[in-house]
Amino acid sequence: MRYLSTRGRSAPQSFCQILLGGLAPDGGLYLPEAYPRVSAEDLAQMRNMDYAALAFSILSRFIDDIAPADLADIIDRTYTAQTYCNVRPGFNAADITPLATLAPGLHILQLSNGPTLAFKDMAMQLLGNLFEYVLAREGRHLNILGATSGDTGSSAEYAMRGKRGIRVFMLSPHGKMSRFQTAQMFSLQDPNIFNIAVRGVFDDCQDIVKAVSNDHAFKAQHAIGTVNSINWARVAAQIVYYFKGYFAATRSNDEQVSFCVPSGNFGNVCAGHIARMMGLPIKQLIVATNENDVLDEFFRTGVYRPRVAAETLHTSSPSMDISKASNFERFAFDLAGRDAGQVSAWWSAVDQGRAFDAKDGGFFARVAEYGFVSGASTHADRLATIRSVWEKYATMVDTHTADGIKVGLEKRDPNVPLICLETALPAKFEDAIRAALGREPERPAAMAGLEALPQRSVTMDSDARAVKAYIAQNC
Ligand SMILES: *Cc1c(COP(=O)(O)O)cnc(C)c1O
């Protein structure tokens, strides 16, 4: 399997060649040259597989430069009941992603049972093991530098902790994360994890990451890398649970389902699109945004108009607070009929801060063919949804999942089962749960007393030079 850049001006690469990198040299994102198709027989076989076997069956179609036995071992070590065991009442950890049925034809696919209680663990845990394997094979090491306002950073740290050849330097805005999120990250005592609290806001952290990444000499000398959401392996790993959810919600492979997906950088729903392109019988892919509705605007109007960072609103579903959706270019490549010239033209506008209109040239019609619909949710909507799901189904959902459910119920085809992707557990967002329900969220027993654990971090001014010096000293 070779991977092409969406801009068409970089040489095709293998899976392991793109695993540790970010953008293609021409500024595009990598995608497989063709999506592998699953046959009716494949689907019939997959239906009875456990999570790890299903993951191997799917991922081995995308990864042909890791020996199958090694890939199977990596996957088996990743998708264990022990890792995905943040037990809730009635939860069967061996399922990895259990399907909870709220009502006939209405389901929640529980993706947040990993160590940091968010769906990002589904892919990030695999990434940790893939990175360790490939780095060891090539005799290399990697210093991962990232900026986080919560979810991504903690998921990356829990995936990379204790991994040979990997250090993580994670910047977060000092005093701006929730107590829970701070405790989750800063209580890690692994010597390869470095938490750097920056006196500033999230954008300052991101600016430092950019400044360090733009210092090409420093970057090369210190083997600096990232684990951001454009990483292809993260998207690939997420394809698996669309299949798992489909099999759990249906009895035969003639049935269709729809998915609703709380969306930010478009990585999660992009994986759903690829599952559909592979032949999984998906009727609708329902994209839900919060008040930051750049994606909803696109799917309603055909106009993709990224915002500037200053226009981004801080909402009660913070992991969907984005100004541009970094994985959207992958979908746009398919929308353009895989014409890299068209994608380059669109993104030359985007890179200059302008919009493009996919109705020009007739590309937007494919959106309906691909099953996409969308909607947006507000703070009031998400609190009302948390309340109604609690009252009707005795199920507590987090703010992001609530955005998905709200839009999903509005836009669903009533004749097809709806699977709502759960992207985080309510325990992570105590304030919103308190506001919606007047009570504390349920917290996994394993995380009782998290805030009381000893914490480990350094605090620094918002200064790229100081951060570079710290990295140089510690790697
Ligand atoms: C990251 C995240 C999202 C958005 O996912 P994308 O793949 O960026 O679209 C939604 N909800 C939660 C809780 C997240 O952490």
Side-chain angles (χ1 to χ4, degrees), residues 49-61 71 75 79 126 237 240:
M49 290 180 182
D50 67 15
Y51 198 94
L54 183 63
F56 179 78
S57 171
I58 291 166
L59 292 172
S60 58
R61 295 163 206 252
L71 181 62
I75 289 171
Y79 296 110
L126 181 71
V240 177

Side-chain angles (χ1 to χ4, degrees), residues 112 117-121 150-152 155 181 229 234-235 238 241 261-271 287-288 295 317-322 325-327 398-401 403 421-425 428-429:
S112 313
L117 314 184
F119 87 102
K120 291 195 171 65
D121 293 333
D151 279 351
T152 309
S155 185
Q181 284 179 320
S229 68
R234 283 180 64 182
V235 176
Q238 292 171 170
Y241 53 69
V261 188
S263 293
N265 276 319
F266 207 76
N268 199 357
V269 74
C270 187
V287 176
L295 287 169
S317 44
S319 298
M320 294 155 66
D321 293 346
I322 51 104
S326 51
N327 272 295
D398 93 292
T399 49
H400 307 77
T401 308
D403 286 337
L421 298 192
E422 173 209 74
T423 55
L425 289 192
K428 296 193 87 165
F429 304 97

